[in-house]
Structure formats: structure tokens, C-alpha cells
Amino acid sequence: MIKTRPLPLAPDQQLRNIGWNWMLGTDTLSYLTNEVVVVSPAEADAYYEAANQLFEMLVEAGQHVIDHNRFSELGIPANLVELIKLSWNDERNIQLYGRFDLAGGIDGHPIKLIEFNADTATCIPETAVVQYAHLRANGLDEERQFNSVYETLVTQFREIRTQNSDREPTLLLSAMRGFPEDDSNVAVLGEAAREAGFTVDFEYIDKVEFSAGEGIFRQNPETGHFEKFDFWFKLLPWEYIGYEEPDLAQILTNAVRQRQVVVLNPAYSLLFQSKYILKILWELYPYHPLLLQTENRPLTDRPFVEKVLFGREGANVRILDEQGRVQAEADGEYDEHPKIYQEYVDFPTDAAGNHYQAGVFFAGEGCGLGFRRGGVILDNSAQFVGHVVE
């Protein structure tokens, strides 16, 4: 049983104290609960070690996909394969961050990988900043948390800058219009990049200018001049670029090949983003204690979860029993996409029957823990729950 602790005071004043007023009033706070999950030091350490081990395994799985040309099985658009290989084979292209979604880890439940959000992971503000401020608002030591997300992002940006010293440290952050959650996630990344020595600007993706031979530009609204950026972070999925914007895929391939721009996260993050990588992991590490059996066909001897390769926020997820009868399902817009079948595992629950999924951020190493709380399928209505280590 999940143990929670009430924290009745909201973190608003603490956010103001650290100069993060811009986060107040956004949808980041609207779904924050007034309690936290109690995690033991040993459980926090286990989440950290699991993230580190799983990322090493993912790197091996990614190399396997490349070596055996299994891109189509992962649902990866053919027009991104060259760019994936370019970014994979150049060590200057560093995975900035991602988030592991994990079952278990609490109250004796073993940690199991659900998936890795490698490309456009969100929940950064609430994990990195809001839950930290929530502890402080209620008089608790902020050190009583597995949470160095912000500091580790700064370190990652510094490493990216060092490894790409032939490029100017100019970073353009981009997101889609109409998604305030995306704006707040990008804003935290911008703060970390500035602290790491980057000059940072923001532009919505529909206003960014792309050139295969010259790179990426933003038109300055005050001067009208086009400004070049040597680094571009996009909160836009790579598979969307490949399938919906093939011309952009080709432009970015040429621009990266010519060292006109460094794109974050690199194109190879799509190898990890595809849920088919869960099957590759099971092939390479069968019965590993951190993994769930995953196949490209329904399981017949145990309950399983049907997922689409590139679904997000629980969309088009179905839970079925060993006879293939649907026990729970969530609608979505990805139903025509290829599917993968993963062994079902129960999420830990609290006294009210809420289900909890752990999210562990990875930015060169495991760096922060938070929880999402909701029904048996965690969709975009799930709440964010912070934690306290004690």
C-alpha cells in the first residue's frame, strides 16, 4: 500500500522567493496534489540505480537496431534513418534528458520498466521545481527528496556546450502553439541552459526558419533581422517530423551533417521513444528483473497491455486478460498505428484505490523522482504527486 503524507500549504510563495513567478497560475499547479508519497532512502536509491541501468541497456538495444537495420520494425520513418545514424555515430550529439515511467519501487513491489519518454518528455517543472518548493512551503528540508533534475540539466547543457565547442552557444527553444504545459517545460530548460552559459531565445515552431545549408533562424520581432542559432531544442516529436513534415526531415538531415545545427534531443532518441524498443530489450535481456515481457503479438498465458508504438499520455492503451478480453481501455488518435504487447503489472495503490506510476528523469544519470496518480490507465487527467524521503 502506498503511504502518503499531507502537505496542505501550496508552494506559491516559495516559487516567488526563487523568482519562478511565471509558473504560478499555469496548468502546472492545477493538478498538483496536497500530499506527497513517502519513499524510503533505499527505495530512492533503487529508482536511481534502475534508471542508470536501464539507460545502459537502451544504448545496447539502440546499437542492435542500427547494426541489424531494424528501423522499420520500430515504426521509424525511412527519411529519418540517415539522421539517426548521423547523430548516433557522433558522440557530440548528447541525449539531453528523458523520463523513465516505472511500475513498482514502493512497499516491496519490484521496479519494472513501463516505457522511456526519450524525445519530448514533460513533467519537468513539477518534478524539478514545484515538488521541491512544496516541501519548503510546509517546513520540510528540500534535501529530503530524490530531486536534482534542474542541477543535472545544467550539467548536461554544460557538457553539450563543451562537446560542441566549434558551435556558438546560441540555443533556440521551440514548442507547438496552444499547449501551456509545453511552454512551462521549455521555460525550465531555458533557465538551465542560461545557467550553463547559453544565450537562449524562444520561438513557436511555425515561425522558425530552416535552411539545409545554413541552419536554423528566428526573425527578431524588434529589428526584423534573422538570427542564427547553432543549437535547437524542439518539443515536437521526431516521428511527427518524419511522417508529417518530410521536407523538414531532409533539411535537418543536411543541416546536421554539415554541422550547421545541433538538435536536442538528437534524432537517435527516436530509437528509445518507439515502444518497440521494449521488445528489443526483452530479446537482449530476457527475464531481466527490471523488464516486462514484450512481444509483437498478444500474450496468451498472462494479462497484457496493448500499446501503439508512438502513443502518448495513455492514448489507445488497452488492458486485456490472458484470453484477450478487454479489461480497460483508453481512446485516442493513434489507433491505426502498429502495436506492441507488454506483460501487465499492477501499479501500487493507496487506501483510496488510486494507482501510482513513478517517473524518474535521466540526464546523463538518474536525477529526479515524481509520481503520476490516477486510474488503472494513466492518461492526461492523471495528477502529479511529489514525494518525501524518510
Side-chain angles (χ1 to χ4, degrees):
M1 185 74 69
I2 286 274
K3 180 183 177 183
T4 59
R5 174 173 175 173
L7 293 184
L9 295 179
D12 299 44
Q13 188 57 50
Q14 278 62 37
L15 291 171
R16 291 190 181 93
N17 291 346
I18 60 175
W20 292 64
N21 306 53
W22 53 268
M23 195 179 288
L24 299 170
T26 72
D27 63 353
T28 303
L29 290 177
S30 63
Y31 74 118
L32 182 74
T33 63
N34 65 349
E35 54 196 353
V36 291
V37 175
V38 177
V39 177
S40 74
E43 290 168 339
D45 289 344
Y47 280 126
Y48 171 77
E49 295 296 342
N52 294 342
Q53 187 173 359
L54 285 167
F55 192 79
E56 290 181 4
M57 293 160 63
L58 280 168
V59 171
E60 291 297 319
Q63 188 67 61
H64 174 88
V65 171
I66 292 171
D67 291 344
H68 295 85
N69 194 32
R70 299 182 68 176
F71 298 97
S72 63
E73 291 176 64
L74 274 71
I76 290 175
N79 58 8
L80 287 177
V81 170
E82 182 183 355
L83 183 51
I84 288 171
K85 291 180 177 179
L86 279 171
S87 62
W88 183 268
N89 292 324
D90 186 342
E91 293 184 353
R92 294 171 294 186
N93 291 281
I94 296 171
Q95 174 90 21
L96 174 60
Y97 81 103
R99 191 191 75 240
F100 287 100
D101 287 345
L102 305 170
I106 300 289
D107 195 29
H109 294 268
I111 295 173
K112 297 289 185 180
L113 174 64
I114 300 299
E115 58 198 48
F116 183 47
N117 300 274
D119 185 10
T120 56
T122 55
C123 288
I124 301 173
E126 45 270 59
T127 306
V129 183
V130 176
Q131 66 168 340
Y132 148 86
H134 203 194
L135 285 192
R136 295 201 61 175
N138 288 273
L140 296 175
D141 182 356
E142 67 270 20
E143 295 298 319
R144 292 170 59 182
Q145 232 173 37
F146 168 28
N147 182 10
S148 60
V149 175
Y150 182 77
E151 296 83 358
T152 310
L153 284 170
V154 173
T155 300
Q156 279 289 85
F157 273 117
R158 285 179 177 147
E159 179 65 15
I160 288 167
R161 185 181 171 189
T162 299
Q163 292 296 326
N164 295 276
S165 57
D166 60 319
R167 301 287 85 202
E168 290 295 318
T170 52
L171 171 66
L172 183 64
L173 301 161
S174 297
M176 300 283 281
R177 291 182 189 274
F179 298 94
E181 178 195 355
D182 289 358
D183 295 347
S184 59
N185 277 272
V186 165
V188 177
L189 292 172
E191 292 287 334
R194 287 187 189 93
E195 193 166 325
F198 281 85
T199 300
V200 179
D201 273 299
F202 175 85
E203 186 59 86
Y204 286 112
I205 287 170
D206 59 279
K207 299 290 285 185
V208 178
E209 298 289 333
F210 301 94
S211 167
E214 298 181 64
I216 288 179
F217 297 82
R218 166 185 178 266
Q219 187 174 23
N220 187 307
E222 297 178 1
T223 66
H225 296 150
F226 283 92
E227 301 168 338
K228 185 179 189 301
F229 293 85
D230 284 3
F231 296 81
W232 183 47
F233 176 87
K234 43 137 210 84
L235 209 61
L236 177 73
W238 273 113
E239 75 271 13
Y240 178 89
I241 292 174
Y243 283 121
E244 304 297 332
E245 300 288 346
D247 291 343
L248 177 57
Q250 189 59 55
I251 290 171
L252 290 174
T253 300
N254 292 331
V256 169
R257 185 193 303 112
Q258 298 174 46
R259 290 290 289 169
Q260 292 296 328
V261 67
V262 176
V263 184
L264 304 171
N265 276 312
Y268 68 69
S269 66
L270 190 53
L271 296 173
F272 307 148
Q273 183 69 38
S274 170
K275 294 182 183 63
Y276 200 94
I277 202 71
L278 300 168
K279 180 183 185 298
I280 304 293
L281 285 170
W282 187 257
E283 291 177 17
L284 299 179
Y285 304 96
Y287 303 101
H288 190 283
L290 292 172
L291 300 180
L292 295 166
Q293 182 178 356
T294 306
E295 307 289 352
N296 57 2
R297 62 185 184 278
L299 307 182
T300 58
D301 61 344
R302 68 197 67 191
F304 61 93
V305 180
E306 177 188 270
K307 303 177 177 181
V308 291
L309 297 190
F310 292 113
R312 283 172 164 78
E313 296 186 320
N316 299 107
V317 168
R318 297 200 304 165
I319 299 173
L320 303 99
D321 65 16
E322 54 269 35
Q323 278 81 46
R325 295 173 297 203
V326 176
Q327 306 299 299
E329 60 184 330
D331 294 332
E333 58 188 48
Y334 309 105
D335 192 47
E336 299 303 315
H337 290 222
K339 297 175 176 64
I340 202 75
Y341 303 90
Q342 183 183 54
E343 176 185 354
Y344 174 78
V345 63
D346 286 318
F347 288 133
T349 57
D350 61 18
N354 297 305
H355 295 76
Y356 289 74
Q357 176 182 272
V360 178
F361 275 88
F362 183 91
E365 63 176 334
C367 57
L369 170 68
F371 292 88
R372 294 177 70 226
R373 179 171 82 182
V376 66
I377 296 176
L378 290 164
D379 56 21
N380 59 7
S381 67
Q383 294 177 299
F384 178 83
V385 188
H387 73 285
V388 62
V389 176
E390 59 182 31

